[in-house]
Amino acid sequence: MAGKLQIRTVEKSDLDFIHKMRKNNDIMQYWCGEPYTTKEKVLKNYDDRQTDTTIREFIIYQDDEKIGYTSLFNLNFSHRTGTFGIMLDPYHQGNGHAADSTRLIVEYGFNILNLNKINLDVVDYNKKAIHVYKKVGFQIEGEKKQQYYINGKYTNGLLMGLLKGDYKPK
């Protein structure tokens, strides 16, 4: 039986793993970006974020194996809010890791950063992700019409949120 999922801060040694995922179209279509980035851009982004207090980035791992990346960004400590993002290596999808990883970062946001609300954006056709987010406790708060242009067509985005008082740990 595999060990429990854990998160740890992103290190420079993780950039090859992150770069590999950022070049994967199957991942990037859900991040509403193109699967085009260079290792140099990934490194520059990493370096730039080292002094940025509005983001926390983590590697999701299990038994020393990297399975994904997650973050809380747009952190606003005056309003106690942040935005959640996650990408899982396709090899590790479909194993319940998305819900467990989401819970880990939500608990970090609420218990360590003392956030009151965590938001996320998701494309409306990503039914699996929407199901996972609802399972964790996120609720749809709004729809953004034709927000993203992906694979030659416009698609809507959904804004979802989770309040600390509504979160029920598993």
Side-chain angles (χ1 to χ4, degrees), residues 21-50:
M21 288 192 297
R22 300 275 320 222
K23 293 189 315 181
N24 184 320
N25 188 54
D26 293 335
I27 293 172
M28 292 309 294
Q29 71 171 323
Y30 295 111
W31 270 58
C32 306
E34 61 181 312
Y36 172 80
T37 194
T38 63
K39 179 77 183 282
E40 290 74 21
K41 284 183 183 178
V42 172
L43 178 59
K44 181 173 180 349
N45 287 340
Y46 171 82
D47 288 339
D48 290 347
R49 289 190 300 266
Q50 296 313 296

Side-chain angles (χ1 to χ4, degrees), residues 4 19 21 35 37-38 44 48 50-51 68 86 100 104 112-113 117 136 141 144 164 169:
K4 216 169 101 163
H19 182 234
M21 288 192 297
T37 194
T38 63
K44 181 173 180 349
D48 290 347
Q50 296 313 296
T51 57
I86 187 171
D100 291 342
L104 281 173
I112 304 300
L113 298 180
K117 183 176 184 181
V136 172
E141 296 183 338
K144 300 175 181 181
K164 183 176 186 175

Side-chain angles (χ1 to χ4, degrees), residues 7 9 24 42-43 72 84 163 165:
I7 57 173
T9 307
N24 184 320
V42 172
L43 178 59
L72 285 170
F84 168 73
L163 296 172

Side-chain angles (χ1 to χ4, degrees), residues 113-143:
L113 298 180
N114 196 29
L115 299 179
N116 182 58
K117 183 176 184 181
I118 298 174
N119 299 297
L120 65 85
D121 286 301
V122 61
V123 291
D124 66 353
Y125 63 81
N126 193 347
K127 302 301 183 198
K128 289 180 184 178
I130 294 166
H131 173 76
V132 166
Y133 300 144
K134 285 182 175 180
K135 185 176 171 181
V136 172
F138 284 89
Q139 297 177 12
I140 296 173
E141 296 183 338
E143 182 178 32

Side-chain angles (χ1 to χ4, degrees), residues 1-4 62-63:
M1 180 175 178
K4 216 169 101 163
Q62 181 179 46
D63 299 328

Side-chain angles (χ1 to χ4, degrees), residues 39-103:
K39 179 77 183 282
E40 290 74 21
K41 284 183 183 178
V42 172
L43 178 59
K44 181 173 180 349
N45 287 340
Y46 171 82
D47 288 339
D48 290 347
R49 289 190 300 266
Q50 296 313 296
T51 57
D52 187 345
T53 60
T54 66
I55 188 168
R56 303 293 189 277
E57 299 178 286
F58 302 95
I59 291 295
I60 306 159
Y61 68 99
Q62 181 179 46
D63 299 328
D64 295 329
E65 184 176 7
K66 298 172 191 175
I67 65 165
Y69 161 88
T70 186
S71 66
L72 285 170
F73 57 99
N74 295 332
L75 292 170
N76 184 315
F77 293 105
S78 294
H79 299 294
R80 296 177 46 213
T81 60
T83 304
F84 168 73
I86 187 171
M87 63 172 64
L88 292 179
D89 186 312
Y91 179 77
H92 295 285
Q93 293 177 6
N95 300 316
H97 295 321
D100 291 342
S101 299
T102 301
R103 283 188 190 94

